[in-house]
Amino acid sequence: GQNIDQPTEMTATEGAIVQINCTYQTSGFNGLFWYQQHAGEAPTFLSYNVLDGLEEKGRFSSFLSRSKGYSYLLLKELQMKDSASYLCAPVEVEGNTPLVFGKGTRLSVIA
Amino acid sequence: GAVVSQHPSRVICKSGTSVKIECRSLDFQATTMFWYRQFPKQSLMLMATSNEGSKATYEQGVEKDKFLINHASLTLSTLTVTSAHPEDSSFYICSAREAGLSSYNEQFFGPGTRLTVL
């Protein structure tokens, strides 16, 4: 089974930087996904980390520490459109298994 | 990128009726599709794994006789909510993995179906 923990809500100011943390406990590990979900819409892929370290992709970066069971999503130069839920999904088993999501973090970007 | 569609996007039905939701992979083949349900301000909860040509695997607490899943082809899975009740009102989202990518778990999500049971 999996235990995934994320903050429920966060608020940040337009133009700022925000870090969304995710800690997890899984029996196995085969990488970790971050998805973004706007209200009433489907989740969209942001990142997939397999190795330790930071992966940067434009304004969004994702960090993974396998030994600590810890990941974070870093959003820079926040825009109003970044207001959404951010879902962390560690992959427990390699192969044809479904993604199991944490409760997600609802980010509100304010002016 | 891979595209997954769902139909209908919204449906309103009377209590006691059945509703069918379709999930299609448009430009790839999907041996496995997944069905999720999402209540307001909550995360996606996995309901079942739909396998092409075989029975679906349901998560604990999900009634297989109420939520009928059929995966008749490599591009289509259907979820039928039978004898729907107001508590079944939710946002239903399907996702699919591309066949042949055994070690990469990325799932492509459909746009979701908003079900309202009166």
Side-chain angles (χ1 to χ4, degrees):
Chain A
Q2 300 184 80
N3 188 16
I4 305 165
D5 191 34
Q6 297 179 240
T8 304
E9 295 186 358
M10 298 182 72
T11 301
T13 306
E14 195 174 14
I17 299 173
V18 70
Q19 177 174 312
I20 302 174
N21 297 323
C22 171
T23 57
Y24 60 89
Q25 293 175 315
T26 56
S27 56
F29 185 77
N30 192 48
L32 185 144
F33 284 92
W34 281 97
Y35 277 79
Q36 179 192 59
Q37 186 183 26
H38 286 98
E41 298 181 14
T44 55
F45 171 83
L46 288 179
S47 66
Y48 177 60
N49 292 63
V50 177
L51 302 177
D52 285 356
L54 184 68
E55 292 199 8
E56 300 185 64
K57 191 187 296 184
R59 295 191 298 115
F60 291 10
S61 302
S62 55
F63 172 84
L64 176 67
S65 170
R66 296 172 68 122
S67 62
K68 295 181 179 179
Y70 169 66
S71 175
Y72 68 72
L73 184 68
L74 192 70
L75 291 74
K76 302 177 184 176
E77 301 170 16
L78 280 173
Q79 302 175 11
M80 301 299 283
K81 68 178 182 179
D82 297 329
S83 294
S85 287
Y86 292 86
L87 309 174
C88 166
V91 180
E92 193 167 37
V93 178
E94 181 183 53
N96 211 18
T97 56
L99 290 180
V100 176
F101 293 93
K103 293 184 177 180
T105 300
R106 281 195 304 278
L107 173 66
S108 298
V109 180
I110 58 175
Chain B
V3 178
V4 176
S5 71
Q6 273 184 250
H7 177 79
S9 57
R10 288 180 179 272
V11 58
I12 300 173
C13 69
K14 293 182 179 180
S15 184
T17 59
S18 295
V19 174
K20 180 186 283 188
I21 303 170
E22 293 186 348
C23 177
R24 293 181 185 273
S25 55
L26 297 185
D27 50 2
F28 66 101
Q29 294 186 328
T31 51
T32 304
M33 294 183 173
F34 306 99
W35 287 96
Y36 294 83
R37 179 168 52 182
Q38 186 175 36
F39 293 106
K41 296 191 177 181
Q42 295 187 23
S43 190
L44 284 81
M45 296 300 296
L46 179 68
M47 297 177 67
T49 299
S50 171
N51 302 299
E52 187 267 335
S54 65
K55 291 183 179 180
T57 305
Y58 290 82
E59 294 300 298
Q60 192 172 8
V62 178
E63 299 175 55
K64 63 179 182 180
D65 293 330
K66 180 170 182 61
F67 298 99
L68 301 179
I69 292 173
N70 184 280
H71 195 149
S73 76
L74 286 173
T75 59
L76 173 64
S77 175
T78 60
L79 168 68
T80 301
V81 183
T82 62
S83 186
H85 291 286
E87 57 265 31
D88 298 324
S89 298
S90 188
F91 192 49
Y92 292 86
I93 305 177
C94 72
S95 68
R97 292 184 70 249
E98 190 168 353
L101 300 180
S102 62
S103 63
Y104 185 53
N105 294 70
E106 182 178 356
Q107 295 174 202
F108 303 97
F109 287 84
T113 297
R114 174 77 58 193
L115 171 63
T116 303
V117 184
L118 302 177

